[in-house]
Amino acid sequence: MKISIKNLLKVVLVVYLMGILSGCGLIVSTASLDVPMEQIDKHITQSADLSDLKTGNFLKLKQFYGVTREEVDEFTLYRAPSNIRADETVVIKVKDPAQVEIVKEKLIKRVDQKAVSFKDYLPEEYYLIENYQMNVQGTYILLTISKDADSIVQAFQQSFKQ
């Protein structure tokens, strides 16, 4: 079997680059990102008091975000009990990794709509909306509009490190 130096160098280069990329975190194993939604929810509710928020079902998920059952594997949704508060936290596990960007765009559209409705109405709530946070871990997407957004994002991220 004859191996040319050129082909050997290609193989060595590919192995080397994969090592570098995986070390930098650019290649992510999706196996480590299969976290039960209950675990994520538990981390979030332990990091921030969401007890005064209402939980949402698929109907509310579709109504608020335009996200369908075909796009979602599972989710958790907390929302303000009235229209005079902007608080909202949603975690969505997307069925198809190719849908992550599409679902993110739908969530951002919701933020934009809320911003328009609160801008001249309640400045304190508008501030929360303008400082929303979004985080993606594999096929999981977090959107939070909350005074505790930093804690919520940190808890979300921590869910994937255990």
Side-chain angles (χ1 to χ4, degrees), residues 102-117:
I102 293 167
V103 173
K104 276 178 54 179
E105 289 172 17
K106 290 179 179 186
L107 297 179
I108 291 169
K109 183 177 177 183
R110 166 71 174 171
V111 172
D112 293 343
Q113 290 169 342
K114 282 184 79 100
V116 168
S117 65

Side-chain angles (χ1 to χ4, degrees), residues 20-28:
I20 288 174
L21 291 176
S22 64
C24 293
L26 296 176
I27 296 177
V28 179

Side-chain angles (χ1 to χ4, degrees), residues 11-54:
V11 171
V12 169
L13 181 63
V14 167
V15 170
Y16 177 74
L17 287 175
M18 289 196 58
I20 288 174
L21 291 176
S22 64
C24 293
L26 296 176
I27 296 177
V28 179
S29 168
T30 55
S32 66
L33 294 179
D34 190 21
V35 178
M37 190 61 70
E38 295 81 23
Q39 179 177 324
I40 297 169
D41 188 49
K42 181 180 175 186
H43 279 220
I44 289 172
T45 56
Q46 287 175 345
S47 72
D49 183 14
L50 304 179
S51 62
D52 61 335
L53 301 181
K54 293 170 35 176

